[in-house]
Structure formats: structure tokens, C-alpha cells
Amino acid sequence: MKTGSLILASLMGLLLSTAPTSAAKAGADPKQWNDTVDKAVAYLRKSQNKDGSWGKNEQAKVGTTGVVLTGLLQAGKVGPDDPMVESGLKYIESLINPKEHHIAGQNPRVQLKNYVTCVNVLAMVSAKRDTYKAVIADAAKFLRSLQWDEGEGKNPGDDFYGGAGYDSKSRPDLSNTQFFLEALVAAGIPKDDPAFKKAAVFVSRCQNFKGEDNRDQKWAGKINDGSFIYSVAGGGQTKTQDKPNDDGGLPGYGSMTYAGIKSLIYCGVSKDDPRIKKAYEWIRKNYTVDANPGMPEVRGHWGLYYYYHTMAKCLDTLGRDEIEDARGKKHDWRADITGALAKRQRDDGSWLGVKHWMEDDPILVTGYALMALSHCKTKK
């Protein structure tokens, strides 16, 4: 072979050897994801209570157990027949109330009924057991009875209308409403169920967007950036600050904006709807995995792990593998969230947040982290 041919052959061999064997796949680095999840599972094995629950006291256990089991099962490292999971499910079975049909215990605090039933529905659905079908259906019926609507004397013009709170008497908020909707979707409630249409009214009104669906809220057009606040009920409330701006504006923030988007999708709103497009603009401008965006610096880590799981669930529901931020930089959000969680994971496999909203409980936030990680696997 001539010298020129040898050089050409060598170059071709080099190019072939360095070319990727397949297109890059969206998602976390598999080793990092597996190591992070394995450490979390090991931690939860050691921290489970003798009765199968997780949590530091009776009040915490009824809700924390559902979050942990949902995270464990959706992450896919353990199944419902794993002794740890089976014991946890038996504990949740003990919370089934045959009279009221919620899954919050035999004599729970009224304020626990919605949230706790929702997360326990998610855990039972994730277990994929036929024996739970009747219980899940009853729980979904109970949850719909908690929604603020005509049954509570509210009409579509009322700012409570369509939302869900901690119970049938508590003021509704977007956090409870997003879990309420997720539980109904998981339970297989048909999309044409009136609960979804009513919820869309409440969720839309929580948005900083002066559109057709939010024309009655005086504060909605003050900021008009597409973000979502904690609750529209009672004139509106945000968690970014203790009172409205001087002009009545209510700044939105990350966890509620992601909650608002996925809640609207659950309610059957098109991904091309102006409400979702406007909220997505806000996400592009505020994309981060370092803090709960929209919060002032002093509150930046409030609800951080709740933010991670809501962000991951929302973007997965949106069907987006990457986010191009307002500066034109593309982000593989699955890899970003996994990396952020791996960096924050403690040596024992748990995570620990700040005191606000119970995130100083390592068991609860480890459950949130696993729920987030379940949406961050490398896509096949």
C-alpha cells in the first residue's frame, strides 16, 4: 500500500474509533443515578419503623410513609414484594377508613385527610396490586367530595371554586390541589370528570397572567410573567414574601409554577395553551437546580426537595427532554436534577433540607428525592 493510502486509512480508522456508537440519550448518568438511588434505598431500609411505617411520630407517619413508598416503587429498584415495601404497604392498609373511605387512619386530624389520602393513593397505585382497586376507587370518590364547588356553596365566580385544601373546610391552595389532581389521574378517573374542569378554574386563577381565564383577579396583571402563586383563595397568597407588593402584585415561584403547569395538563389543557406557554417562558428565564427560583435568597432553599420532585414530574409530563433557557443554553434537566441530588446526598444515603415545610425531616425529603429521581432515568 502506498504511503498516501496508509495515511488515509489511518485517518479513517481514527475517525471511526472516536465516532459515537449511538446518539446521546437524554437523562442522568446511569452510574450516578444508580449509586444515588441505591444509597437512598439502603438508608430507608435502616430507618423503617417496626410497624412498617416511616416517620418520627404518629402524625408524621401517616403521610411520610406514602411519600417514601411512592418514591421507592416509582424509582423501580424495589418492588411491592420486597419485605420492606410489603411491610410499608401493610401499614398503609391499616389507614384505610371503611366508613369515610379515605386512607388517613381511623380518627385522623381533619387537616390531614386530603394530602395523606392523595399520597397513599399514589403509593397503592404504584404497587400495582389488583386487591387495591376498590380502595383506590373509594378514595378517589372521597377526594372529589373535598373539592370546593357547589356542594360547599361556591359558584364558579368564587376564588375558592375548584380548589382542594387540607380538608373540606380548609382554604384551597395549589399545593394540595396538585396532589389531589395527581391522585385522581393515578386512580384512573376519566378526563371528562367534572372535578378536572372545576380544578382548571382554580389553577388558572393562581397564575400571574391576565388572560381570559384569570380576568377577575386584580393582582394577576401586575407582574404578568406566567408564574404561579400558592393560592388565589381569599385574595391571593404567595410564599415568596409575607405580604403583597405595594401595588398588590404577588410574585410566583418555582415549585408552584411547575405544579401549575402539570395540574393544567392533568385537567386536559393543551400544551399549546397560552397559559402553559406563558408559564414555560418563566421557566426558561428562571431555570435552575440550585434553589427554588422566584424565592428571595434568604428563602431560596425553602421547599427545595418538594421543588425537585415537582419540577421533574412536570417536565416529564410536558414531554421535554431538555430546556433551552432564556440565554440559549440547553439543559438536560434529568442529568441536572440527578447531579444536584447526588451532590446534596449525605453519607448515610439521606437528604436534609431546611426547617420550613418539614424539610428538616430526612426521611420525608429522601422520599421526595426518590420521587424526583424516578423521572430522571436515562431514556431508552
PDB file of all heavy atoms in Angstrom, residues 244-257:
ATOM      1  N   PRO A 244     -48.320  41.251  49.977  1.00  0.00           N
ATOM      2  CA  PRO A 244     -48.216  41.612  48.561  1.00  0.00           C
ATOM      3  C   PRO A 244     -47.292  42.809  48.336  1.00  0.00           C
ATOM      4  O   PRO A 244     -46.940  43.540  49.274  1.00  0.00           O
ATOM      5  CB  PRO A 244     -49.663  41.970  48.177  1.00  0.00           C
ATOM      6  CG  PRO A 244     -50.514  41.321  49.214  1.00  0.00           C
ATOM      7  CD  PRO A 244     -49.700  41.345  50.469  1.00  0.00           C
ATOM      8  N   ASN A 245     -46.869  42.988  47.090  1.00  0.00           N
ATOM      9  CA  ASN A 245     -46.136  44.204  46.726  1.00  0.00           C
ATOM     10  C   ASN A 245     -47.022  45.424  46.989  1.00  0.00           C
ATOM     11  O   ASN A 245     -48.237  45.302  47.179  1.00  0.00           O
ATOM     12  CB  ASN A 245     -45.750  44.172  45.240  1.00  0.00           C
ATOM     13  CG  ASN A 245     -44.748  43.087  44.925  1.00  0.00           C
ATOM     14  OD1 ASN A 245     -44.028  42.602  45.798  1.00  0.00           O
ATOM     15  ND2 ASN A 245     -44.693  42.675  43.663  1.00  0.00           N
ATOM     16  N   ASP A 246     -46.405  46.589  46.983  1.00  0.00           N
ATOM     17  CA  ASP A 246     -47.164  47.822  47.238  1.00  0.00           C
ATOM     18  C   ASP A 246     -48.315  47.996  46.251  1.00  0.00           C
ATOM     19  O   ASP A 246     -49.346  48.573  46.592  1.00  0.00           O
ATOM     20  CB  ASP A 246     -46.231  49.034  47.177  1.00  0.00           C
ATOM     21  CG  ASP A 246     -45.258  49.069  48.342  1.00  0.00           C
ATOM     22  OD1 ASP A 246     -45.529  48.386  49.351  1.00  0.00           O
ATOM     23  OD2 ASP A 246     -44.217  49.765  48.240  1.00  0.00           O
ATOM     24  N   ASP A 247     -48.139  47.510  45.026  1.00  0.00           N
ATOM     25  CA  ASP A 247     -49.198  47.659  44.023  1.00  0.00           C
ATOM     26  C   ASP A 247     -50.163  46.467  44.008  1.00  0.00           C
ATOM     27  O   ASP A 247     -51.028  46.362  43.137  1.00  0.00           O
ATOM     28  CB  ASP A 247     -48.601  47.850  42.628  1.00  0.00           C
ATOM     29  CG  ASP A 247     -47.840  46.617  42.134  1.00  0.00           C
ATOM     30  OD1 ASP A 247     -47.673  45.654  42.920  1.00  0.00           O
ATOM     31  OD2 ASP A 247     -47.409  46.614  40.961  1.00  0.00           O
ATOM     32  N   GLY A 248     -49.989  45.558  44.990  1.00  0.00           N
ATOM     33  CA  GLY A 248     -50.863  44.394  45.078  1.00  0.00           C
ATOM     34  C   GLY A 248     -50.350  43.165  44.359  1.00  0.00           C
ATOM     35  O   GLY A 248     -50.985  42.105  44.402  1.00  0.00           O
ATOM     36  N   GLY A 249     -49.198  43.261  43.684  1.00  0.00           N
ATOM     37  CA  GLY A 249     -48.633  42.126  42.979  1.00  0.00           C
ATOM     38  C   GLY A 249     -48.208  41.000  43.908  1.00  0.00           C
ATOM     39  O   GLY A 249     -47.783  41.250  45.046  1.00  0.00           O
ATOM     40  N   LEU A 250     -48.312  39.768  43.424  1.00  0.00           N
ATOM     41  CA  LEU A 250     -47.945  38.579  44.199  1.00  0.00           C
ATOM     42  C   LEU A 250     -46.960  37.742  43.387  1.00  0.00           C
ATOM     43  O   LEU A 250     -47.355  36.998  42.486  1.00  0.00           O
ATOM     44  CB  LEU A 250     -49.187  37.744  44.522  1.00  0.00           C
ATOM     45  CG  LEU A 250     -50.214  38.394  45.448  1.00  0.00           C
ATOM     46  CD1 LEU A 250     -51.542  37.647  45.389  1.00  0.00           C
ATOM     47  CD2 LEU A 250     -49.695  38.419  46.881  1.00  0.00           C
ATOM     48  N   PRO A 251     -45.662  37.851  43.658  1.00  0.00           N
ATOM     49  CA  PRO A 251     -44.672  37.108  42.865  1.00  0.00           C
ATOM     50  C   PRO A 251     -44.848  35.588  42.995  1.00  0.00           C
ATOM     51  O   PRO A 251     -45.080  35.066  44.084  1.00  0.00           O
ATOM     52  CB  PRO A 251     -43.328  37.555  43.470  1.00  0.00           C
ATOM     53  CG  PRO A 251     -43.634  38.846  44.155  1.00  0.00           C
ATOM     54  CD  PRO A 251     -45.024  38.714  44.656  1.00  0.00           C
ATOM     55  N   GLY A 252     -44.718  34.895  41.871  1.00  0.00           N
ATOM     56  CA  GLY A 252     -44.786  33.445  41.885  1.00  0.00           C
ATOM     57  C   GLY A 252     -43.414  32.836  42.112  1.00  0.00           C
ATOM     58  O   GLY A 252     -42.404  33.540  42.211  1.00  0.00           O
ATOM     59  N   TYR A 253     -43.364  31.514  42.169  1.00  0.00           N
ATOM     60  CA  TYR A 253     -42.082  30.844  42.424  1.00  0.00           C
ATOM     61  C   TYR A 253     -42.081  29.451  41.815  1.00  0.00           C
ATOM     62  O   TYR A 253     -43.109  28.957  41.341  1.00  0.00           O
ATOM     63  CB  TYR A 253     -41.757  30.806  43.920  1.00  0.00           C
ATOM     64  CG  TYR A 253     -42.815  30.198  44.821  1.00  0.00           C
ATOM     65  CD1 TYR A 253     -42.642  28.940  45.380  1.00  0.00           C
ATOM     66  CD2 TYR A 253     -43.976  30.893  45.131  1.00  0.00           C
ATOM     67  CE1 TYR A 253     -43.598  28.390  46.227  1.00  0.00           C
ATOM     68  CE2 TYR A 253     -44.941  30.358  45.976  1.00  0.00           C
ATOM     69  CZ  TYR A 253     -44.747  29.107  46.518  1.00  0.00           C
ATOM     70  OH  TYR A 253     -45.695  28.565  47.358  1.00  0.00           O
ATOM     71  N   GLY A 254     -40.895  28.831  41.815  1.00  0.00           N
ATOM     72  CA  GLY A 254     -40.649  27.621  41.044  1.00  0.00           C
ATOM     73  C   GLY A 254     -41.559  26.452  41.322  1.00  0.00           C
ATOM     74  O   GLY A 254     -42.183  25.904  40.404  1.00  0.00           O
ATOM     75  N   SER A 255     -41.639  26.016  42.578  1.00  0.00           N
ATOM     76  CA  SER A 255     -42.407  24.801  42.860  1.00  0.00           C
ATOM     77  C   SER A 255     -43.866  24.950  42.471  1.00  0.00           C
ATOM     78  O   SER A 255     -44.477  24.023  41.932  1.00  0.00           O
ATOM     79  CB  SER A 255     -42.267  24.402  44.330  1.00  0.00           C
ATOM     80  OG  SER A 255     -42.529  25.483  45.195  1.00  0.00           O
ATOM     81  N   MET A 256     -44.450  26.121  42.701  1.00  0.00           N
ATOM     82  CA  MET A 256     -45.849  26.315  42.334  1.00  0.00           C
ATOM     83  C   MET A 256     -46.023  26.512  40.827  1.00  0.00           C
ATOM     84  O   MET A 256     -47.055  26.148  40.265  1.00  0.00           O
ATOM     85  CB  MET A 256     -46.437  27.492  43.095  1.00  0.00           C
ATOM     86  CG  MET A 256     -46.679  27.223  44.569  1.00  0.00           C
ATOM     87  SD  MET A 256     -47.803  25.813  44.904  1.00  0.00           S
ATOM     88  CE  MET A 256     -46.632  24.482  45.233  1.00  0.00           C
ATOM     89  N   THR A 257     -45.029  27.055  40.157  1.00  0.00           N
ATOM     90  CA  THR A 257     -45.151  27.219  38.705  1.00  0.00           C
ATOM     91  C   THR A 257     -45.104  25.862  38.014  1.00  0.00           C
ATOM     92  O   THR A 257     -45.914  25.583  37.113  1.00  0.00           O
ATOM     93  CB  THR A 257     -44.043  28.145  38.177  1.00  0.00           C
ATOM     94  OG1 THR A 257     -44.161  29.420  38.825  1.00  0.00           O
ATOM     95  CG2 THR A 257     -44.163  28.340  36.670  1.00  0.00           C
TER      96      THR A 257
END
